[in-house]
Each structure stands twice: as C-alpha cells, then as structure tokens.
Amino acid sequence: NEYDLKLLACSIATIGIIEPILVRRDNDGNYILVTGCRRLKAALMAGIRRVPCILHKIDSPTAALFSVTENLQRKKPPFFEEAKNIAFLINDLGFTPSQTAATLGITQSDLTAKLNLLKLDCILQERITAAELSETYVKTLFKLPGIMRDDALEMIISENMTPRQAEDYVN
C-alpha cells in the first residue's frame, strides 16, 4: 500500500537499502528484477537512482519461484492473492503440491485449503475482497451450494455480520 511504501522510502532515504535487490540477466543482457520490487520503488521515491543488487544466474522459472516465494514469505498477501501465487507455482512452474508446500513451509492440508479458495466464483472473490472480509467468511460460504452463495454474501455484507453471525446465518 502507498502508506507503507512511503514509510519504506523514508527509511531508505535515511539509512539506505539494508538488503540488496535480486536481479538476473535476460538473453539480451538486460537486468531483470527478481525480488525487491517494493525496495526499488521506495528507493526511486526517495530519489535514489543506484541500488545495491545481487546478480543471480538463474532461468525464468527459477526467478518466478524466487519472486513468488519472497512475496509469500515477506509480507502476508491477501488470501486470494496467496492462493493465486500457490496455483502459479503448481500450474505454471510445474511444481507438485508437495514440493510447493515444502518450498513455502506450509502443510499439505494448508496448501489444499488455500487452493480451494480459488474454486469460489471470481465475482464473489472480488466482492469479498472489496468488502475486506476474512478467509473465515469464505469457508462459511463453502458450506452452501454455489447458487446460494451470492445471496448469502449479499446478506453478510449488507448486515455487516461478524464471522460468527455469518456462520449462524449460513447454518
């Protein structure tokens, strides 16, 4: 978020970048950012044009793995984004679920639960995100058949229900 980025920019302007960003070279010799997007943006906001980097000789799939892993481990992303990152590792990079769980340091059951979040209709995902509801509400909605979820979500949002109230309502 913008506020956190400004705080990071102030910190970087004062003491510099503590941890270098990670880059790799593409086939044309250009530098490609692997990790450290927030640090780079904050440095630019602070007026810094040269940042410390570590050059890794890695291919695109490994770079994607590093990027996704750092994003998941550094700052807990919103739960749908986390689930999409996990699905990316499995579907796009070819990791098995057990490899993905081990790489991210989560249990197989937690991984399965995260992936199940993506079974929710995209429109409902957007509405849940916009309403800033927690993952608990999603789990509650999964107790209902698909055709009933939209109406239940509408009621949960309009009545500003707590997770407990939402569960009681769905039950």
Side-chain angles (χ1 to χ4, degrees):
N1 81 36
E2 193 68 24
Y3 178 73
D4 287 344
L5 198 58
K6 286 179 183 176
L7 289 177
L8 183 56
C10 289
S11 172
I12 288 173
T14 304
I15 63 172
I17 293 180
I18 296 170
E19 185 178 336
I21 64 173
L22 180 64
V23 297
R24 70 178 184 88
R25 285 196 177 221
D26 65 11
N27 293 336
D28 298 327
N30 299 312
Y31 291 103
I32 306 293
L33 181 66
V34 176
T35 63
C37 183
R38 287 184 66 248
R39 282 171 277 159
L40 181 58
K41 284 181 182 179
L44 293 172
M45 283 176 75
I48 297 171
R49 298 292 177 245
R50 294 179 63 143
V51 296
C53 301
I54 296 175
L55 176 63
H56 265 275
K57 295 179 180 176
I58 54 177
D59 58 14
S60 292
T62 305
L65 171 65
F66 284 12
S67 180
V68 168
T69 302
E70 183 190 51
N71 287 340
L72 292 173
Q73 290 177 346
R74 274 198 187 269
K75 189 173 184 182
K76 185 93 167 130
F79 54 90
F80 285 125
E81 183 180 325
E82 182 180 19
K84 288 174 186 172
N85 282 323
I86 291 169
F88 173 79
L89 291 175
I90 294 168
N91 299 330
D92 295 346
L93 296 184
F95 280 72
T96 65
S98 59
Q99 287 173 319
T100 303
T103 299
L104 299 177
I106 61 176
T107 65
Q108 190 78 33
S109 62
D110 285 343
L111 182 129
T112 301
K114 293 291 182 191
L115 290 174
N116 282 338
L117 296 174
L118 298 178
K119 292 179 180 176
L120 193 65
D121 178 87
C122 290
I123 294 169
L124 290 180
Q125 287 181 31
E126 290 172 11
R127 289 179 60 208
I128 289 165
T129 301
E132 298 180 356
L133 298 179
S134 70
E135 196 172 335
T136 305
Y137 290 94
V138 178
K139 291 175 182 175
T140 299
L141 288 173
F142 273 124
K143 294 178 181 179
L144 295 171
I147 59 173
M148 297 177 72
R149 292 178 187 156
D150 189 53
D151 290 339
L153 179 60
E154 183 61 38
M155 183 62 78
I156 290 167
I157 293 171
S158 68
E159 296 294 321
N160 198 25
M161 292 183 187
T162 65
R164 180 70 185 157
Q165 290 169 328
E167 188 173 343
D168 289 344
Y169 172 73
V170 165
N171 289 337

